[in-house]
């Protein structure tokens, strides 16, 4: 398995609080991604990174920000969590833009 | 942008039955096409891929043929097992080199 660790694995938080999810990789892959998975919607891209300090928005980026200060870590921040952000969040990595993605095991976030 | 449409689930089959999960795509040019599988409690993992028209991807008894004339990449398996119970996702890169776009997923349950 590709070396991808997501933390925390589970989190419950209250509406309006900030939340940061972490993705750590040991593969030295250039590309990293954050997706969310919701029933009826499949996987939707939130943000992605194509290098240190290089990021871009996905289709559902509103309410989320990301940072990548080093190759191995990609952080997803919810500045002020809302109930609509209750979801399972997956980090993925790939060597190139066209390489297959390798996924972490997900973070289940519940916003009450 | 590019997109995929896959059949709605859930699909329930008896062990040893034949499986088809339909996937059609809309794309500029001829992108690579992918099938990913998600087992319970895990992230997605690549099942198979095809990189050009008429290619057949195969893995673990699953097959899919890239058919440009029908813009399809249907997933098939001749004899399913209980262990194949999972959610299956069809995917392709968005136009250019942007990240993968996923279908909404098809949940397969195989009963003994």
């Amino acid at each position: 398995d590709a070396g991808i660790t997501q933390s925390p694995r589970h989190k419950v938080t209250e509406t309006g609080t900030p939340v940061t999810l972490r993705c750590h990789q040991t593969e030295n892959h250039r590309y990293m991604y954050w997706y969310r998975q919701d029933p009826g919607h499949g996987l939707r891209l939130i943000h992605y990174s194509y290098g240190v300090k290089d990021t871009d928005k996905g289709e559902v980026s509103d309410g989320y920000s990301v940072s990548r200060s080093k190759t191995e870590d990609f952080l997803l921040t919810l500045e002020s969590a809302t109930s609509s952000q209750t979801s399972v969040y997956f980090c993925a990595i790939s060597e190139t833009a066209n390489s297959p993605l390798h996924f972490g095991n997900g973070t289940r976030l519940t916003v009450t | 942008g590019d997109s995929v449409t896959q059949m709605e689930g859930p699909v329930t089959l008896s062990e040893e039955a034949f499986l088809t999960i339909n996937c059609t795509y809309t794309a500029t040019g001829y992108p690579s096409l992918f099938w990913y599988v998600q087992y319970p409690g895990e992230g997605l993992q690549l099942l198979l891929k095809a990189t050009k028209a008429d290619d057949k991807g195969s893995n673990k008894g699953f097959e899919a043929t890239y058919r440009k004339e029908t813009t399809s990449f249907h997933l098939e398996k001749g004899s399913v097992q209980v262990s194949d119970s999972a959610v299956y996702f069809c995917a392709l890169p968005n136009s250019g080199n942007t990240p993968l776009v996923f279908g909404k997923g098809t949940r397969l349950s195989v009963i003994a």
Side-chain angles (χ1 to χ4, degrees), chain A residues 35 37 40 90 98 101 103-104, chain B residues 36 38 43-44 89 97 100 104:
Chain A
Y35 286 87
Q37 184 176 24
F90 286 98
N98 288 320
L101 271 61
F103 284 80
Chain B
Y36 282 77
Q38 183 182 30
L44 280 70
F89 294 88
N97 285 333
L100 289 185
K104 294 185 178 181

